[in-house]
Amino acid sequence: MSDADKFLDTGRRVITEEAAALQQLADGLGDGFASAIDLLLNVKGRVIVSGMGKSGHIARKIAATFASTGTPAHFVHPAEASHGDLGMMTSGDVVLVLSNSGETPELVDLVTYTRRFGIPMIGVASRANSTLLQRADVSIVLPQVGEACGYGVVPTSSTTMTLALGDALAVALMEYHQFTPENFREFHPGGKLGAQLAKVADLMHDGDTIPVVSTDTPMTETLLTISQKGFGVVGVVDANQSLVGIVTDGDLRRHMDGLLTHSAGEVMTQNPTTVSSQMLAAEALAIMNNRKITCLFATDSNDSGKVLGILHIHDCLRAGVV
């Protein structure tokens, strides 16, 4: 067997063992999980997540997942907690403590502090009779499975289960609170995720930057507006400021003979495609690509059709919307 085949065998074995551990975790999930959700739903302050070593790394990720899905949370390092960070926890908080063995010595001061000041604590460990779970208000017992390293010493299956458990808690809370992608975007304004969840209103040009003229505006002035605003188009509005048409390069070419003798209302294309300012920018970009156009006017969502802004395809590309 070649080295490549050996590597593949190892990779498949580890993933298969960890998947089996996750299945055991799912099958064994019980009242402790439901009680933990009840406790987390009623928290008045924040969720404090803590753990040592590899459990600490998992705790950081769980805290970040809570925070990004509408449950205020942060990580407290148990060793730092013994040197002043215990003050980061208050009586209105709930503490989620992770420890595979349930006997991690660095957790002693943190656990004792929660007991002394009546701070509710959820313990997660693989031993039901461990010190952590015996002292916790709510206990979640992880299945006792072998680590996928083959020697039973490297945290692999145990950390995978703990990570998945944290995700399950966060998603259960998220679904209960009916947390939406729009809510999620509020915590992720940057990067690809923020770009994909950006709305037309976030990227569009509004106010005096919008290229609009009235139906009776002479084409001499209309051409000047197109040039000054820099979008290559101009919206045409009626007396109620509702969008009734648009003048594009194509319209100019079609009316080349005697163009300057016409008004914008005579040259415009009627009933142009528009979007809502609350539409996702990614959807607006798809419309522009499908119709092979570079701009879309955003109008209000009621029947008035008043112009709220204009979105150019370059605005989407600059923001990373694809």
Side-chain angles (χ1 to χ4, degrees):
M1 180 182 290
S2 68
D3 286 344
D5 290 334
K6 291 177 182 177
F7 297 153
L8 285 171
D9 283 347
T10 300
R12 291 174 180 138
R13 187 194 76 240
V14 170
I15 293 171
T16 300
E17 290 184 17
E18 293 194 7
L22 288 175
Q23 189 60 58
Q24 287 193 50
L25 174 64
D27 293 342
L29 218 55
D31 293 341
F33 183 85
S35 297
I37 294 296
D38 286 338
L39 202 57
L40 292 167
L41 284 173
N42 292 308
V43 62
K44 297 294 189 296
R46 294 177 177 271
V47 178
I48 310 299
V49 192
S50 189
M52 193 69 192
K54 302 298 187 294
S55 292
H57 295 306
I58 299 300
R60 287 182 186 275
K61 192 274 179 185
I62 292 174
T65 301
F66 279 148
S68 68
T69 53
T71 300
H74 63 254
F75 170 78
V76 171
H77 194 289
E80 296 294 341
S82 299
H83 295 275
D85 282 1
L86 287 173
M88 297 173 71
M89 297 185 290
T90 68
S91 58
D93 297 334
V94 169
V95 180
L96 174 62
V97 182
L98 314 177
S99 170
N100 188 43
S101 68
E103 303 293 345
T104 307
E106 290 88 351
L107 295 172
V108 171
D109 288 343
L110 185 145
V111 171
T112 300
Y113 185 86
T114 66
R115 304 302 81 193
R116 181 184 305 153
F117 293 99
I119 302 173
M121 183 179 73
I122 302 166
V124 177
S126 63
R127 299 174 187 173
N129 61 350
S130 63
T131 302
L132 174 61
L133 297 194
Q134 290 296 313
R135 304 196 69 182
D137 296 291
V138 174
S139 300
I140 300 178
V141 183
L142 298 174
Q144 291 194 9
V145 299
E147 301 290 6
C149 66
Y151 300 101
V153 294
V154 180
T156 46
S157 297
S158 60
T159 49
T160 298
M161 287 191 296
T162 308
L163 180 62
L165 177 66
D167 288 341
L169 289 169
V171 172
L173 293 170
M174 187 174 104
E175 290 183 355
Y176 180 88
H177 290 302
Q178 297 183 335
F179 198 81
T180 65
E182 286 73 23
N183 300 136
F184 196 60
R185 179 185 168 273
E186 293 174 7
F187 300 104
H188 298 77
K192 183 176 178 61
L193 182 59
Q196 292 306 105
L197 294 177
K199 295 179 180 179
V200 170
D202 299 322
L203 304 181
M204 71 183 188
H205 304 264
D206 55 14
D208 293 338
T209 63
I210 307 173
V212 289
V213 296
S214 61
T215 53
D216 59 357
T217 301
M219 282 305 298
T220 51
E221 295 181 28
T222 300
L223 289 171
L224 187 60
T225 299
I226 293 175
S227 177
Q228 288 176 336
K229 300 297 184 179
F231 291 96
V233 298
V234 67
V236 183
V237 297
D238 61 17
N240 296 318
Q241 297 303 303
S242 299
L243 187 71
V244 293
I246 186 174
V247 177
T248 67
D249 287 342
D251 296 313
L252 299 180
R253 289 193 296 271
R254 282 188 290 273
H255 294 82
M256 190 62 70
D257 269 350
L259 176 65
L260 300 183
T261 66
H262 291 294
S263 66
E266 294 170 335
V267 174
M268 71 182 186
T269 296
Q270 298 183 23
N271 302 316
T273 300
T274 61
V275 293
S276 164
S277 62
Q278 296 307 302
M279 177 185 285
L280 289 177
E283 296 179 57
L285 177 61
I287 293 173
M288 286 189 273
N289 285 332
N290 290 336
R291 294 182 176 272
K292 294 181 172 56
I293 57 178
T294 59
C295 290
L296 282 169
F297 281 93
T299 57
D300 57 13
S301 56
N302 58 36
D303 294 332
S304 72
K306 289 185 178 180
V307 179
L308 300 179
I310 183 171
L311 180 71
H312 195 282
I313 194 169
H314 290 165
D315 300 322
C316 297
L317 299 179
R318 276 194 297 269
V321 178
V322 294

